[in-house]
Amino acid sequence: MPFVRFIGFSIVRAWQGFWRNAMMSLAATATVVLMLVLLSGLFIVITGLNSGLQFIESKVAVTARLVDDLPISARTALVEEVEEYPGVASVEYVSPAAAMDRLRASYREVGRELDLGDPDSPITLFASLEISLTDADASEDVGAALATHDDVDRVLTKQAEYDTLLGIINVIRTVGLIGIGLVGLTVLFMIINTIRIAVYSRANEIEIMRLVGASDSFIRWPFILEGILCGLAGAIVTIVLVAVIWDPIQPAMVTIFQMPTAVSAQFLTTLSVLLLGVGLGVGALGSWISVRSYLSVAH
Amino acid sequence: MTYPNGKVALADVNVEIPRGDFVFLVGPSGAGKSTFIRLLIREQLPTSGHVTVAGRDLLRMRRRQVPGLRRRIGIVFQDFRLLPNKTVWENVAFALDVTGVAGSIIRRRVPQLLSLVGLQDHAHHLPTQLSGGEQQRTAIARALVHDPAILIADEPTGNLDPVTSWELIQLLIQINELGTTVLMATHNQEIVNAMRRRVLALEVGHLVRDEAVAAYEREY
């Protein structure tokens, strides 16, 4: 029961403190919102790009263009050989006709018709093997092995595309985290200041609390909770904002970044947990620093 | 007791106050009365020597034991130190609330204390709606919430007129008769002379007089 009383007392005092010093508390909350909105943006972009990366990984990783007029028996032998390579998930033979059909389909997707002039045009595409991998890192070895094979004319890998996307993700992640770190420091100082002002504005009460024998936790925890309240309020506001804009964003995540629908459905929950954690963490850290430095010296 | 700036606030002070005593602490401003009180409530620690209060050695006391000590000591000040936005009831209840006392006990204890100090009819008044004497009574009720063994009054009549001062002294005597040790720092010669109680006189940090039944100034 005493613990329940302590919790109740601290929460009530924190709530009163938050509104007593409303301008400062709301300013601190606003900075928390700013930081968390930036974090959400970064999280959305990084998650989207990661999904794109996984999509590329899951698609055909290596294409081997076959030499002209390769006999069926040689082609079958080649397929069987490549299937044995380490890191290879599956091998699919794409005939010149199938390649042409795909080309026509891709034209139709953007609303055009492939025009080769003469309907009986002798133009054909290459036959190829499309190899998907269990591990994207195997693409280099598989590519190298195929390049030296007599039946293979040319090897195309997705490695360059993959590396470029990975590079972009790393740059965005680094720049984003540095930016959020700087904003996070500002937020921390705002909360430290807010709680410092709260401590000073309650100096008389604190003195009386000490004189009548209030324990340190009764004096300190209301202020720590007041800081946590700023973080919590900031997180809730941000979650509401993200939830509102998520509806128009979600289809784009699925189409542009090829985010799997399962990930997309879970995304808002994951992001909310992250925002709550960071909001509460910054609030608690800022007020804890403040309470340590401004309540301990006076004791 | 020496402050960090080198000023000696108290030196060679040896005093023992038995349980249930009523003692006056007198002396001019800067004599060391406040330091004496601060040592008793462990707001400060002596640079040398010992302080024992209610059977506890304050130098050996851990920081987390200090709140327990403070609940054994009630303290009132010249400027009352009430919270201006809280009523009489709330000011007294606050001292119980911040020490984790249950609501049912608070609701029982506060009326008892207000009745003891004669403020039961002013429970819902704010400090600004009270006279100086009533404010000091509120402060005394607050100081008594934990039923302390010792009540320290630092110039409690400093802001009160003579009639109100006497009323307050009557209240302190009543509290003392209920078994609480009372230590009252004061400049009020009339009260000290009339009461004929034990007097500790400080001057420039030294105890210059400790007499059992005495007046404000030396009588011989």
Side-chain angles (χ1 to χ4, degrees), chain B residues 1 13-14 39 45-52 57-60:
Chain B
M1 172 67 211
V13 176
N14 288 300
L39 289 173
L45 288 171
T47 39
S48 65
H50 292 281
V51 183
T52 305
D57 182 345
L58 302 197
L59 266 83
R60 290 190 177 175

Side-chain angles (χ1 to χ4, degrees), chain B residues 76-78 80 132-140 156 160 168:
Chain B
V76 291
F77 299 93
Q78 179 175 358
F80 321 132
E134 288 163 343
Q135 290 188 52
Q136 194 59 289
R137 283 164 182 273
T138 308
I140 290 174
L160 305 179
L168 195 86

Side-chain angles (χ1 to χ4, degrees), chain B residues 155-176:
Chain B
E155 296 277 358
T157 60
N159 282 346
L160 305 179
D161 62 63
V163 175
T164 315
S165 296
W166 271 111
E167 287 172 1
L168 195 86
I169 294 302
Q170 295 306 317
L171 177 60
L172 291 179
I173 290 171
Q174 192 191 337
I175 291 163
N176 176 237

